[in-house]
Amino acid sequence: DSKENHRSKTPSLFKQGAIKYPKIRNSFFLILILLACSQVGFGQADGDFGTMMSGNFSTAIWGIYDANLSLNGTTSVPSSKKNAYILNGNVVTLDGTFGFKNLTVLSGGTLNTDAYGINLSGSLYIYGNVNIGVLGSIIVGGSSTLGNSYSGLLTLKPGATFDVTGTLTLGRPKCLLIESNVSYTAQCIFTDISTTNNGTAKVERFMSLSDNWHVYSSPIVGQSIHDFLQYNVDIPDFYEGTVYSGSGMREYYTNPGKWSGNFMYGGLPTGDVVSGKGYSIRTYNDTQSLGTVDATGVPTSSDVSISLTPASSTVNGWNCIGNPYTSSISTSSFLNTTNTSKLEINYKCIYLWDSASGNYRASNIVTKIDDVQLGQGFFVKSNSTSGNTVTFTSDMTSSSRNTTFKVAKIIWPSIYLSITNKSLNSFTDIMLVTNTTKGLDPGYDAGLLTATPEFSLYSRLLEDNGVNFMLQCLPDQSIDYVIPLGLDCKIAGDVTFTAVTVNLPSGCQALLEDRLTKRFARLDLKDAKYTATVSADTKGTGRFFLHTSDVISGVQPLENQPYKITTINNIVTITGEVSEAAQFYLYSINGKQLANFKAESLVQTQFDASGYPAGVYILTVVDKNQRKSVKFVIEK
């Protein structure tokens, strides 16, 4: 596209040149043209070839199909004058030199060139127009040349993978198109890259079709901010009256610790979009919006080092960086010993924006948000050492295809505790993890990063170090914890707690204690919630606590306990089979005996709890030399 194109025009897609027929080099082929993604039917001409099974390219895996996708016969290899299709789920290994008119790799299909004498010396030459379908893939054992002096184009449909073990050569402008949509993004993986004839790629990243900000990182080296903004019509210009005052793209400044668009004010922006750096990008919400942001240029192939602004008494140490490659990168690979040594001890993780909750999520050893997607930016918190840098390397790349800017894989028993008011929400996570402690476990516990300081929920370590945490890991050898919760809330009003639990062990619950109202509420049950009224400028800990022990709620008994205990209008009912000799003992949570009484019947006993304050109690039943105890709650 010419640079004279105005931003108000939708940037043109790759212009397709005339179809070129196959040429063979170095005992290898290829012309590929893909006419559609996974939903494409044959129908191009009667007598197309399609795979009936997986196998070597030269073996009898091919069937002859008509325009209605009916199998009319079999053949050994496709004719050079017909179209060939690798169907869903079939893996075809190239083990010779073959020609055909057009090759389509449908969703789930794979063309593998890394075998049978080709191996790492094999090469893939593309001179025609190529389109790999959704979730289709081409695996190249050696190098790959796109375009060259011809009009060849390689289009990777959302979810497709193009994996080149060797060097990827871009032979003309925009000869590689990496597409993205709401469900998937394509991936292009290579060891090295070179260009001829001004070769470039165009890389899409789907953001949203709404007026949202997203943390973005460009996979392209050397594209100017001016060009990036000019050709991305989904990024709005901001005007104050008739005066241009910036765009929907911001940079994060560690001092004073906020996003700002100041670097774009005062006319056209200068400088390049920095590879490996994170930016906040806003997309339109109108009828012209495509929901994508595009970067054009040469994809990043080398290692990328980013300097971090260190924390100090006046600087918070937060730095926004991002994935610089045209494929996903592994979080665990990025959080290697070298990189994590540059991070503050309470924050040895990366922080990804979660558009669903409108907040940041921590990704570290235990949360298993393994893949940072193509185009995704994130935050890290530097320690106070000056000269810190973190480094992205090409061996961190992976081939996760999801579009979503996070892929959570919770493994350990977890309690996801959230809080909402009329318009805001916040959360904190508690996980039970082997070999952790009640104090700080660097790389496991994650200090708080919040997008809404005026409304934040967090926890404090049981062995408190004065830091607010959005993720706290506790030993899984026990489930009997009372965890201090903190709440910062600027505006007075009602707030509502809810919880989502994952893989909790038997007896472990999520019981919220409100010490101001002296109430308890069990939150791990379906549709459970607790609403409290807070005053303006609420801040810190002391009111709310999370109990994780096997406490039985006064309104919701457990089915598999020896005795069921319910409380209605201050009358506590104990249900369970006992003998005539059974004796009941009531204790406070500190072990002080408060009362004792005999069974009223062999199946159910009641006592009046109106004289006891709200709280956690222990009931012990002694029956024929057997003792059974259970915790429960008296609510007021």
Side-chain angles (χ1 to χ4, degrees), residues 237-258:
D237 288 334
F238 290 154
Y239 286 86
E240 296 176 0
T242 60
V243 179
Y244 175 78
S245 62
S247 74
M249 179 175 177
R250 302 183 298 188
E251 184 178 19
Y252 186 81
Y253 289 86
T254 300
N255 188 11
K258 66 179 183 178

Side-chain angles (χ1 to χ4, degrees), residues 117-312:
I118 298 170
N119 295 321
L120 298 183
S121 62
S123 299
L124 175 64
Y125 293 88
I126 295 174
Y127 304 114
N129 297 322
V130 183
N131 206 329
I132 306 176
V134 176
L135 301 185
S137 60
I138 295 182
I139 304 169
V140 182
S143 61
S144 178
T145 300
L146 310 181
N148 233 359
S149 59
Y150 299 87
S151 59
L153 303 173
L154 174 61
T155 301
L156 308 181
K157 287 295 180 182
T161 296
F162 185 52
D163 190 343
V164 181
T165 302
T167 299
L168 173 63
T169 300
L170 305 180
R172 75 172 186 85
K174 296 183 181 179
C175 60
L176 172 63
L177 173 60
I178 300 175
E179 293 187 344
S180 179
N181 63 19
V182 66
S183 300
Y184 298 103
T185 189
Q187 305 279 321
C188 185
I189 305 171
F190 48 85
T191 302
D192 198 4
I193 197 165
S194 66
T195 61
T196 60
N197 303 318
N198 298 314
T200 60
K202 182 178 180 180
V203 184
E204 294 181 356
R205 175 71 232 192
F206 183 86
M207 296 297 207
S208 72
L209 293 172
S210 59
D211 288 325
N212 291 328
W213 290 93
H214 303 269
V215 186
Y216 173 79
S217 180
S218 176
I220 294 298
V221 178
Q223 184 177 21
S224 70
I225 296 173
H226 174 221
D227 286 351
F228 180 77
L229 293 174
Q230 183 179 18
Y231 296 116
N232 274 296
V233 296
D234 278 41
I235 301 177
D237 288 334
F238 290 154
Y239 286 86
E240 296 176 0
T242 60
V243 179
Y244 175 78
S245 62
S247 74
M249 179 175 177
R250 302 183 298 188
E251 184 178 19
Y252 186 81
Y253 289 86
T254 300
N255 188 11
K258 66 179 183 178
W259 292 105
S260 174
N262 290 334
F263 76 113
M264 294 179 182
Y265 288 177
L268 294 176
T270 60
D272 291 342
V273 181
V274 179
S275 179
K277 185 173 183 177
Y279 298 88
S280 185
I281 300 289
R282 180 189 176 193
T283 51
Y284 267 130
N285 179 21
D286 61 21
T287 56
Q288 295 181 354
S289 178
L290 301 174
T292 59
V293 169
D294 306 331
T296 302
V298 179
T300 307
S301 61
S302 59
D303 294 352
V304 176
S305 294
I306 298 293
S307 297
L308 301 181
T309 301
S312 68

Side-chain angles (χ1 to χ4, degrees), residues 417-427 454-458 485-499 512-514 516-517 519 521 523 528-540 543-544:
L417 184 66
S418 62
I419 187 172
T420 59
N421 65 6
K422 291 181 179 180
S423 59
L424 298 174
N425 66 84
S426 185
F427 66 89
E454 69 276 15
F455 189 74
S456 296
L457 179 68
Y458 48 87
L485 301 175
L487 175 63
D488 295 347
C489 185
K490 186 174 181 62
I491 300 175
D494 288 346
V495 297
T496 300
F497 290 86
T498 57
L512 182 72
E513 178 187 4
D514 183 344
L516 180 63
T517 62
R519 291 181 62 85
L523 298 180
K529 63 183 178 180
Y530 176 75
T531 299
T533 302
V534 298
S535 58
D537 297 319
T538 293
K539 193 174 183 66
R543 176 174 175 177
F544 300 107

